[in-house]
Amino acid sequence: MVIATRVLPMGDRALLAETGSLDDVLALHAGLTASRPPGVVDLVPGARTVLVRVDSRMPALPATRAWIERTAVETDAVAPRRNDAAVVELEVAYDGPDLASTAELLGLAPDELVRRHAAAEWTVAFTGFAPGFGYLVSGEWDFDVPRLESPRTRVPAGAVGLAAGFTGAYPRETPGGWRLIGTTTATLFDPDAESPALLPPGTRVRFVPARAKATTSPNPPLSIEPTPFRTQERVGSPEVGGFGEQTSPATTPSEPPRGIRILEPGLLSTIQDLGRPTAASLGVAVSGALDRGALRTANRLVGNPEGAAGVEITMGGFRAVAEDDLWFAVTGAWGPIRLDDREVDPYEAHAWPSGAELRVDWFGSGARGFLAVRGGLDGRVVLGSRATDLLAGLGPAPLRPGDVVGVRDEASGPVPASAIAPWGAPHDEELVVELAPGPRADWFAASALDVLYEAVWTVTNDADRVGVRLDGPELIRSRAGELPSEGMVPGALQVPPSGRPTILLADGPVTGGYPVIAVATDAALDAVAQARPGTRIRFRHARAG
């Protein structure tokens, strides 16, 4: 049977394939995965949709649309359940704080709720919310469990919960509104593993009550023995745990002193490269430099590959000392730059003698500067990138006083003899941002698009690497509530019930339920990265082609 599919726009680098049911999503995702053409970098299933993301160098969204539509016609609508695959068994202690109240809500005794949850075979429909957080469904589970009215600010790693028709286990400590019925000690996400997510989309799962493991599955189970879930301070927050052995990017004492020593990181300084553009299906954001053009330029100025890791400096106030003779360049936001007592220009390569102090002062224009060092900076590699992801707690920790960041030997050419191109301060008083169509414009009143393009919006203080919240007139919605969870992209303008949009950025969530009215074009995101609180933004329609 043909999968009924509606292909919706999601900016200029993605499409959203909407189906009628979660079973159709599973079938379509399997069909697209099996026939994926070059240039399609990620496939992100949601509750009713599959997000298809293409490489930024691929201009042919119409060809991608045709491929999706052809696959929907050719794929059987009976979703594959991977019946030939082993079942992953998760040992669970059914000791959750909401077990009794949830059972009462469903008209069951707690023991009966446990029995039904453990008796069902579950399938991971999609991931999102956090890396490795799977949304599991089962044909043997017909309960619709409401979320908590007031979400918890902290849910422990390994907590097993219920929400709507889903079950899932939290891979890390995080806020959450699911009703918690148990705990597992299995490692659900290991960023250093070849397959980081224990439960990627399509995986079959059984929950086994602790100390009563059964192996009655018709297929041999893949037993997951309890192992300590490694946690550490979440990047950017001392209250939330993250993943793996996240450490400072400092060199070890046995390494030669080739690097830079941080004296002051300013408001926030992180190691960034061009990110992780192919891991959204595991719940991992793109991350990477917010102003990619500035990082690329800084790297070219010192003879590095464009994607080499550098330091993203937020609002300035950065000081560091060279531990060896180096070369550097600073691009992006605009402010005084001093090498010892000598002022130097941005957008030029400069020698950085061993022992000299570099000071990138507070920025007068723009929000984010980028420091590139010849050879590229070192840092822990997670899923092929050294980028720090603040929301997920992946990659190197934000820089702290005393950190020594290693310098690699990855220069790809000589330091250019002259500046690459004319440069100037970024425009941050008023920006004009081009928008491509979003998938959910039909969730808004007819006047909302006119308001979006006619109003002057102001960047609020709620602006960081996750997103930029805007203040302005309300965008009136014609539909209430939230969508079933669906894939998101950097640049998406999500509109919560307040009616004021938020522009998602590189560390933003990979799935969400607020409707997306439009999407900032890929080319516009660098300018948005330089917006400061108080910056005015006007939107205009993206030019065709």
Side-chain angles (χ1 to χ4, degrees):
M1 183 181 296
V2 172
I3 301 174
T5 304
R6 185 168 66 130
V7 182
L8 304 169
M10 181 63 99
D12 61 342
R13 292 290 179 261
L15 294 167
L16 196 67
E18 182 179 48
T19 70
S21 70
L22 187 54
D23 280 347
D24 287 348
V25 166
L26 295 172
L28 180 60
H29 180 256
L32 294 172
T33 299
S35 62
R36 173 162 31 177
V40 173
V41 298
D42 214 352
L43 300 169
V44 186
R48 296 290 184 272
T49 59
V50 179
L51 177 70
V52 179
R53 298 182 59 185
V54 302
D55 191 284
S56 60
R57 296 165 293 183
M58 297 289 293
L61 277 183
T64 305
R65 177 186 292 271
W67 164 65
I68 296 170
E69 293 171 343
R70 184 172 62 252
T71 303
V73 170
E74 296 173 352
T75 300
D76 194 320
V78 178
R81 293 293 185 177
R82 290 179 58 178
N83 288 329
D84 58 342
V87 177
V88 174
E89 289 189 347
L90 291 184
E91 186 171 283
V92 177
Y94 283 97
D95 56 2
D98 303 320
L99 177 62
S101 61
T102 303
E104 182 179 6
L105 189 68
L106 300 178
L108 303 173
D111 287 350
E112 178 64 9
L113 175 58
V114 170
R115 188 192 70 78
R116 294 198 185 191
H117 187 262
E121 182 178 299
W122 300 83
T123 300
V124 181
F126 56 94
T127 58
F129 174 62
F133 187 99
Y135 290 72
L136 281 65
V137 296
S138 174
E140 304 164 59
W141 182 264
D142 55 5
F143 297 109
D144 188 355
V145 180
R147 288 174 169 82
L148 297 174
E149 291 185 5
S150 298
R152 291 180 170 89
T153 58
R154 299 177 72 179
V155 174
V160 176
L162 299 169
F166 301 105
T167 192
Y170 286 75
R172 56 176 292 201
E173 186 177 279
T174 180
W178 289 35
R179 294 180 182 268
L180 307 182
I181 63 170
T183 307
T184 181
T185 56
T187 300
L188 300 168
F189 188 85
D190 180 355
D192 295 320
E194 184 177 352
S195 300
L198 176 63
L199 306 178
T203 303
R204 299 165 62 210
V205 180
R206 281 191 182 276
F207 295 95
V208 180
R211 297 180 300 280
K213 268 191 153 183
T215 57
T216 58
S217 169
N219 295 302
L222 174 63
S223 296
I224 306 299
E225 297 297 335
T227 55
F229 188 84
R230 298 174 298 170
T231 61
Q232 83 295 318
E233 180 179 87
R234 176 189 171 186
V235 176
S237 171
E239 298 182 352
V240 184
F243 292 114
E245 306 274 345
Q246 184 178 16
T247 61
S248 160
T251 59
T252 64
S254 62
E255 293 176 328
R258 176 172 165 78
I260 62 173
R261 178 165 45 88
I262 308 302
L263 301 180
E264 292 290 343
L267 183 65
L268 173 69
S269 292
T270 58
I271 302 296
Q272 299 294 344
D273 52 21
L274 295 180
R276 306 175 181 91
T278 64
S281 60
L282 301 178
V284 177
V286 173
S287 200
L290 292 190
D291 187 341
R292 297 155 298 170
L295 176 65
R296 288 185 172 113
T297 299
N299 276 320
R300 291 200 305 271
L301 284 165
V302 293
N304 285 344
E306 289 188 346
V311 180
E312 180 178 279
I313 303 166
T314 301
M315 301 304 290
F318 176 89
R319 295 168 53 222
V321 170
E323 300 281 283
D324 197 2
D325 290 339
L326 304 169
W327 284 81
F328 77 95
V330 177
T331 60
W334 201 264
I337 306 169
R338 291 183 174 84
L339 188 61
D340 283 337
D341 295 327
R342 177 171 59 92
E343 188 161 342
V344 297
D345 289 329
Y347 284 85
E348 289 187 13
H350 303 279
W352 190 356
S354 178
E357 179 182 323
L358 172 67
R359 178 174 186 140
V360 181
D361 216 332
W362 299 102
F363 300 138
S365 297
R368 293 174 176 89
F370 292 84
L371 167 66
V373 177
R374 181 169 173 78
L377 296 182
D378 207 355
R380 180 170 180 249
V381 177
V382 175
L383 295 172
S385 170
R386 293 182 170 84
T388 299
D389 181 337
L390 294 177
L391 184 62
L394 294 176
L399 299 178
R400 300 182 295 264
D403 284 347
V404 177
V405 184
V407 175
R408 300 178 62 79
D409 189 17
E410 296 182 350
S412 58
V415 174
S418 60
I420 291 176
W423 43 264
H427 301 289
D428 64 357
E429 292 185 2
E430 183 167 303
L431 302 177
V432 176
V433 174
E434 290 194 343
L435 299 181
R440 301 301 176 188
D442 59 349
W443 273 58
F444 296 85
S447 62
L449 281 174
D450 291 336
V451 172
L452 178 66
Y453 287 100
E454 292 173 1
V456 177
W457 302 88
T458 303
V459 174
T460 69
N461 288 326
D462 294 323
D464 55 21
R465 287 186 48 84
V466 174
V468 175
R469 185 171 296 174
L470 303 178
D471 191 22
E474 180 181 359
L475 299 176
I476 303 297
R477 286 169 54 170
S478 58
R479 302 190 198 181
E482 294 187 23
L483 288 152
S485 185
E486 60 188 27
M488 292 290 135
V489 296
L493 267 70
Q494 280 192 327
V495 183
S498 69
R500 276 80 180 180
T502 294
I503 307 175
L504 297 184
L505 297 181
D507 284 2
V510 300
T511 61
Y514 292 141
V516 173
I517 190 172
V519 182
T521 62
D522 189 66
L525 289 176
D526 287 355
V528 175
Q530 297 298 350
R532 305 154 62 101
T535 296
R536 300 183 299 276
I537 294 180
R538 292 181 180 272
F539 295 118
R540 73 180 183 192
H541 294 277
R543 289 164 288 189

